[in-house]
Amino acid sequence: MYARSKIAIEVLSVLAFAGALAAAAHYRNGIKPAAPLVPLIIATNATYIGTSLVFIAAANDFFKAEGLEVTLQPHASGQAALNAAPAGQADLATVAEVPVIFAAASGRPVMIIASIASQIRDQGIVARRDRGIAHASDFKGKRIGVTLGTSALHSA
């Protein structure tokens, strides 16, 4: 009796494992939507860590699994990405809060439809010690490049 129970458990284990593999393969390949994929252009700041989840989702076909044919349109800043949407170059834009605040303050209509990520103190300054910069006070009298209207200026 014990041998039959052991065999039954082994068979069930193999079937469960095979089922798990099949489910994983099915999920990895994605469920093919019945309707054609809906095209969507997302303008995004390609240099900002907060938008990395959008690139990960695109690389893993998560958008396709939801019926979307997404084209990522890289920009050098969130402000540039935000400007692409009303200009008709993109359907959506991923930006941090500062470009949205500046747009709203200037009377441009904006709509937030989702939050992707949040972080505190996500900006920094990289400087060269061989140029005499070791502390924040060493920037006095130096020129620092920023993109106006973005969180880079806000955080500096």
Side-chain angles (χ1 to χ4, degrees):
M1 185 79 169
Y2 175 75
R4 284 187 181 177
S5 296
K6 186 176 178 183
I7 291 172
I9 290 172
E10 289 174 355
V11 168
L12 288 175
S13 297
V14 169
L15 289 175
F17 182 71
L21 285 177
H26 179 70
Y27 178 76
R28 178 73 181 136
N29 292 333
I31 299 167
K32 306 296 182 221
L37 296 176
V38 175
L40 183 70
I41 299 172
I42 301 176
T44 188
N45 182 348
T47 62
Y48 180 60
I49 190 75
T51 60
S52 60
L53 295 176
V54 175
F55 287 94
I56 291 169
N60 286 286
D61 291 331
F62 294 154
F63 292 118
K64 285 185 180 172
E66 297 300 324
L68 299 170
E69 182 65 47
V70 168
T71 301
L72 296 180
Q73 186 184 83
H75 291 272
S77 70
Q79 181 186 38
L82 182 61
N83 291 338
Q89 299 167 344
D91 301 305
L92 298 172
T94 62
V95 300
E97 67 281 354
V98 174
V100 173
I101 292 167
F102 278 111
S106 68
R108 290 176 48 201
V110 292
M111 180 185 299
I112 299 170
I113 61 170
S115 177
I116 298 172
S118 65
Q119 52 267 6
I120 297 171
R121 302 182 60 89
D122 61 338
Q123 302 289 334
I125 296 176
V126 178
R128 294 176 51 176
R129 290 186 187 267
D130 65 339
R131 299 294 173 119
I133 302 172
H135 306 286
S137 60
D138 297 333
F139 284 107
K140 187 173 183 176
K142 304 269 195 270
R143 293 175 64 187
I144 300 172
V146 298
T147 305
L148 298 175
T150 68
S151 58
L153 178 62
H154 172 71
S155 299

